[in-house]
Amino acid sequence: MRKLGVMKRIGLKTASLAIFAFALSTLSCWAGEIAAVRNCTWCHGTGAQGYTVAPRLAGQRPQYILSQIRSFHEHTRDNPFSIQYMWGAVASLGPYTARDLANYFASIPPRPANDGNGAWAARGRTIYMEGIPEANIVSCYACHGPNAEGIRDIPRLGGLAYFYIKARLEQWGQGYHSTPGSPMPLVATHLGAEEVEALASYLSFVK
Ligand code: HEC
Ligand code: HEC
């Protein structure tokens, strides 16, 4: 009788220890994951939908997110905001965490910023789809896709914030870099202020 009682207690103790250990390991795993995401979302906004100068990451192509993390890491993406905010943010990010974060953010449904100038949207759509051949402006459609959804390491543009897209297009024209070998500096040098205004406005409304 007494022996059975002891056995029971030992059995229980092992079982509860096992449960405790399991709970601890899932808990610390979760906490690690949440901490990694929070390291990004305190700038990139709730649900990674973008906040002030930090662009939306939700719904972005995972390969593009990874290519940009690499560009910040290697200091090839060199505009003032990148240097000020992102060089430090990715400095100690390991490749596996980077990949997990890219897949995680890519899986969140993106919401359009809708913050462009509505009066310019139709003009922006025409440039996006057809370019302006006589001004050497190529169509964006060919690379970024019919609904600006992007593919592989070509980013989704649809629904990004007006100010972000505008700043990016202007920065390439000013000689800043992003990914080595990117076609964008060449594309952007042909865009005038009106084309940038129209394209950034149109794209901010694309769902
Ligand atoms: C201190 C604020 C801050 C933190 C923290 C931060 N970011 Fe950023 N991030 C920015 C800003 C600002 C930009 C825009 C840079 C620019 O304009 O070129 C940016 C740009 C990016 C881009 C480029 C997006 C695009 O569309 O080209 C990626 C990818 C990115 N961040 C990922 C991350 C990840 C992953 C983390 C967490 C490990 C993170 N960021 C943490 C502020 C931040
Ligand atoms: C030949 C293919 C190609 C064409 C044409 C092209 N793009 Fe891109 N675009 C890319 C690639 C690749 C990237 C990512 C590499 C980089 O960041 O430099 C990119 C990046 C961008 C980004 C940065 C998005 C972000 O999240 O930071 C913007 C904005 C952009 N393109 C706008 C345009 C517009 C507007 C047009 C049309 C006038 C256009 N692109 C035409 C290939 C193209």
Side-chain angles (χ1 to χ4, degrees):
M1 194 58 201
R2 231 183 118 222
K3 207 173 172 194
L4 199 79
V6 169
M7 289 287 284
K8 246 190 188 160
R9 252 182 290 141
I10 291 172
L12 248 167
K13 223 178 183 175
T14 332
S16 51
L17 252 185
I19 289 169
F20 183 68
F22 174 77
L24 247 188
S25 72
T26 38
L27 206 80
S28 57
C29 186
W30 260 86
E33 212 162 279
I34 290 167
V37 168
R38 284 218 185 119
N39 283 342
C40 314
T41 52
W42 68 271
C43 282
H44 286 272
T46 327
Q49 298 294 335
Y51 184 70
T52 68
V53 294
R56 186 187 69 192
L57 300 177
Q60 190 49 277
R61 298 284 143 207
Q63 279 158 281
Y64 173 72
I65 295 179
L66 271 180
S67 80
Q68 297 311 295
I69 290 176
R70 208 174 307 128
S71 298
F72 295 127
H73 206 265
E74 291 165 4
H75 297 180
T76 49
R77 181 162 166 178
D78 59 358
N79 69 49
F81 284 151
S82 297
I83 295 174
Q84 190 179 344
Y85 298 109
M86 283 307 299
W87 284 15
V90 300
S92 59
L93 203 63
Y96 298 110
T97 315
R99 186 201 54 199
D100 290 349
L101 286 171
N103 288 334
Y104 172 73
F105 289 129
S107 73
I108 302 175
R111 285 198 301 269
N114 287 330
D115 59 350
N117 183 344
W120 284 91
R123 172 91 180 116
R125 184 173 191 281
T126 308
I127 303 173
Y128 183 89
M129 299 305 271
E130 298 162 18
I132 309 178
E134 61 275 22
N136 277 322
I137 295 172
V138 292
S139 102
C140 322
Y141 164 99
C143 290
H144 290 276
N147 202 37
E149 68 277 35
I151 185 168
R152 295 187 299 274
D153 60 352
I154 301 177
R156 178 192 293 276
L157 304 177
L160 287 177
Y162 162 84
F163 283 104
Y164 176 73
I165 300 176
K166 185 169 181 278
R168 292 284 275 152
L169 292 173
E170 288 169 351
Q171 282 159 356
W172 278 305
Q174 292 159 357
Y176 292 109
H177 309 87
S178 47
T179 317
S182 165
M184 287 311 298
L186 191 62
V187 170
T189 47
H190 299 290
L191 299 173
E194 287 192 3
E195 285 82 35
V196 168
E197 178 76 19
L199 284 161
S201 290
Y202 164 65
L203 288 165
S204 80
F205 297 112
V206 174
K207 287 190 185 64

